[in-house]
Amino acid sequence: MPQTTGTGDTMGSDRPEIEIRGLHKSFGDNHVLRGIDLDVGRGEVVCVIGPSGSGKSTLLRCVNLLEEPTSGQVFVGGTELTDPDVDIDAARRRIGMVFQQFNLFPHITVTGNLTLPQRRVLGTDKERAAAVARENLDRVGLAAKADAYPAQLSGGQQQRVAIARALSMGPDVMLFDEPTSALDPELVGEVLSVMRVLAGEGMTMMVVTHEMSFAREVADRVVFMDGGVIVEQGPAEQVVTRPRHERTRNFLDRVLDPAAVEAPAEAPAETPADGEAPPAGGQR
């Protein structure tokens, strides 16, 4: 078990930023996560890939306790978030999260969306919050949209605002849950470009994604999940282009070249038995 001081601070700076130990999550009889062990180092970018229903998003949501694990431990920055006595609100301030949907307040401006969490959660004064908002809007290339309302922005711009909002809270870790899945294809690139910049700046990132080119080019490590377990993990180039496990290869074949996957063969039509008339329309 990772060691911490009495205050939950890290003993030694070489331990991972995120540590997941024996993580299980069930929803009733549905056992979604089945004993996940995973580390994410400080400044590392880890992309989690896998088919729908494999537990990827549930894993991410367990990292900041948006979903409470059934059993197991989660540590972020040396603090155990699964400790019943932890100050979860304080611990979550170190974790930024970007969802599939943008979750912006439609009735306030872009700047208001960035300053409101700072003032309510962190207690930042109005002028400082506005300065931090301007800095992070500039980081995502949207300084000119500070006074716009969400409805006046494209989907890609709204997601970049959501990233800037998370950055404005000063996180040590950023979690991305399929951040481009709700976007039109032509808007995906602008969001991935911002994420590339954050990776280059050394932000610790855990990314659930179906963008294989991003995973291959930006991630330090790729984790493939299926059936609630980690099937394979390793350097991005190796996992994406030379996977060792057959389940990983089958998944990537379908994702990278969906047109090459054969459709299931149609079952042959049944022949009516002697003396039996076929149903109306000739179908059985």
Side-chain angles (χ1 to χ4, degrees), residues 149-180:
Y149 287 85
Q152 297 172 308
L153 306 178
S154 69
Q157 289 172 332
Q158 290 186 61
Q159 191 62 293
R160 285 152 64 193
V161 170
I163 294 173
R165 177 181 58 189
L167 292 172
S168 293
M169 303 297 285
D172 298 318
V173 170
M174 287 285 286
L175 309 178
F176 294 85
D177 186 9
E178 295 278 16
T180 61

Side-chain angles (χ1 to χ4, degrees), residues 1-250:
M1 179 187 301
Q3 296 182 348
T4 60
T5 66
T7 59
D9 294 333
T10 302
M11 293 180 64
S13 59
D14 57 345
R15 67 182 289 178
E17 190 70 28
I18 300 173
E19 300 165 90
I20 301 168
R21 299 287 180 264
L23 190 68
H24 289 259
K25 176 62 181 178
S26 296
F27 297 96
D29 294 333
N30 186 12
H31 198 171
V32 178
L33 299 178
R34 300 171 177 267
I36 300 293
D37 291 294
L38 181 65
D39 290 339
V40 179
R42 187 170 289 112
E44 187 179 20
V45 179
V46 172
C47 283
V48 184
I49 64 173
S52 177
S54 60
K56 309 182 301 296
S57 293
T58 299
L59 172 62
L60 205 68
R61 292 171 68 87
C62 283
V63 171
N64 64 357
L65 260 63
L66 288 178
E67 294 289 354
E68 185 174 352
T70 303
S71 63
Q73 296 173 294
V74 176
F75 296 80
V76 175
T79 298
E80 184 184 354
L81 273 66
T82 43
D83 184 337
D85 297 324
V86 74
D87 184 344
I88 189 61
D89 291 331
R92 281 188 180 134
R93 290 170 196 160
R94 305 184 63 180
I95 307 169
M97 184 146 186
V98 178
F99 300 89
Q100 297 178 27
Q101 301 298 328
F102 323 124
N103 297 330
L104 301 177
F105 293 111
H107 62 288
I108 58 178
T109 65
V110 164
T111 295
N113 270 277
L114 270 63
T115 57
L116 184 62
Q118 294 182 65
R119 297 179 66 189
R120 289 193 175 178
V121 177
L122 303 180
T124 309
D125 65 72
K126 183 177 180 179
E127 290 185 1
R128 174 59 183 161
V132 170
R134 287 194 297 271
E135 175 185 344
N136 285 298
L137 285 173
D138 188 57
R139 288 174 76 182
V140 302
L142 289 175
K145 300 294 186 180
D147 297 324
Y149 287 85
Q152 297 172 308
L153 306 178
S154 69
Q157 289 172 332
Q158 290 186 61
Q159 191 62 293
R160 285 152 64 193
V161 170
I163 294 173
R165 177 181 58 189
L167 292 172
S168 293
M169 303 297 285
D172 298 318
V173 170
M174 287 285 286
L175 309 178
F176 294 85
D177 186 9
E178 295 278 16
T180 61
S181 65
L183 301 178
D184 291 334
E186 66 268 22
L187 302 177
V188 168
E190 62 189 64
V191 174
L192 296 181
S193 178
V194 168
M195 295 171 65
R196 285 188 177 92
V197 170
L198 294 180
E201 293 174 352
M203 174 65 73
T204 304
M205 298 165 59
M206 192 170 171
V207 185
V208 169
T209 186
H210 61 276
E211 299 290 343
M212 293 303 113
S213 60
F214 176 84
R216 183 174 58 243
E217 296 165 14
V218 180
D220 298 295
R221 187 155 41 101
V222 168
V223 173
F224 172 67
M225 289 184 62
D226 193 14
V229 300
I230 293 175
V231 175
E232 180 172 349
Q233 63 175 303
E237 181 68 21
Q238 179 260 307
V239 173
V240 176
T241 62
R242 299 183 306 279
R244 296 186 299 269
H245 201 287
E246 183 179 1
R247 289 162 76 186
T248 315
R249 289 194 295 271
N250 290 340

